[in-house]
């Protein structure tokens, strides 16, 4: 009975954290979208951060970029809290043979090289075991899971290349940097949209499976 009450409480916390994560993801849509508009204006020469950084549109664009950074940090915190709680629920339910602890399910995102594949493996385990799949690593993950991770990786790679090219300061190079930055923004938008769906699917699965059925005993 104590275990069941603990799992039910954990699922309740997960639903709260889902709402917090959703708010930050919607904010990401807004500011990444505005940033993409700014990148298109910059690519078209309407905004020039090099020669006219004090122009009204340039000032607004820079403010949007700062706000985008703040929203990104908030989303990292919110999503990390959700991931930790979702994994903790599986452990508290006594599910056997879990390969990822709640801490490492979050921690792998911050370990170089490993963060290219370990977070995806942890999310795959979380999705499949939350949906009561017996063997989380032999089961095929849903298509949106792979698409989410692929877009996230590609978006980060393009963003890093864009940043490095922009530091060179050459006109042609800066144009390429802006174009790559714009592509990175679109990857981020689609990745965030898919992640929101994944978060909702897992939360719903745990609500139905852990809280209502308690079949993991």
């Amino acid at each position: 009975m104590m275990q069941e009450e603990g799992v039910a409480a954990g699922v309740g916390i997960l639903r709260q954290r889902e709402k917090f994560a959703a708010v930050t993801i919607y904010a990401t849509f807004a500011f990444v979208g505005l940033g993409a508009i700014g990148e298109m204006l910059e690519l078209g020469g309407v905004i020039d951060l090099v020669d006219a950084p004090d122009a009204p549109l340039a000032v607004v664009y820079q403010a949007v970029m700062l706000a985008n950074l703040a929203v990104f940090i908030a989303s990292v915190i919110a999503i990390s809290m959700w991931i930790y709680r979702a994994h903790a629920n599986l452990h508290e339910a006594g599910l056997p043979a879990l390969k990822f602890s709640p801490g490492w399910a979050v921690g792998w995102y911050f370990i170089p090289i490993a963060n290219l594949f370990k977070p995806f493996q942890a999310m795959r385990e979380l999705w499949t075991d939350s949906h009561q799949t017996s063997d989380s690593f032999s089961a095929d993950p849903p298509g949106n899971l792979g698409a989410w991770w692929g877009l996230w990786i590609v978006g980060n790679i393009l963003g890093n290349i864009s940043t490095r090219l922009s530091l060179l300061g050459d006109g042609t190079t800066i144009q390429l940097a802006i174009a790559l930055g714009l592509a990175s923004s679109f990857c981020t938008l689609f990745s965030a949209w898919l992640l929101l769906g994944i978060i909702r699917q897992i939360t719903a699965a745990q609500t139905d499976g852990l809280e209502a059925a308690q079949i993991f005993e």
Side-chain angles (χ1 to χ4, degrees), residues 25-26 28-29 144 148 187-200:
I25 290 174
Y26 281 127
T28 297
F29 294 156
N144 61 342
W148 155 68
C187 286
T188 299
L189 283 171
F190 285 115
S191 177
W193 176 257
L194 291 172
L195 178 58
L196 179 58
I198 291 166
I199 287 173
R200 286 174 168 167

Side-chain angles (χ1 to χ4, degrees), residues 2 8 12 24 26 35-36 49 51 59 61 97 129 139 141 157 162 204 210-211:
M2 290 293 292
T24 63
Y26 281 127
L49 296 180
D51 297 325
V59 171
Y61 179 36
D129 285 337
I157 291 173
S162 174
L210 297 182
E211 185 181 59

Side-chain angles (χ1 to χ4, degrees), residues 27-56:
T28 297
F29 294 156
F31 284 101
V32 171
L34 289 172
I37 292 172
E39 288 168 329
M40 287 186 283
L41 291 175
E42 191 178 6
L43 195 60
V46 177
I47 294 176
D48 189 343
L49 296 180
V50 177
D51 297 325
D54 296 328

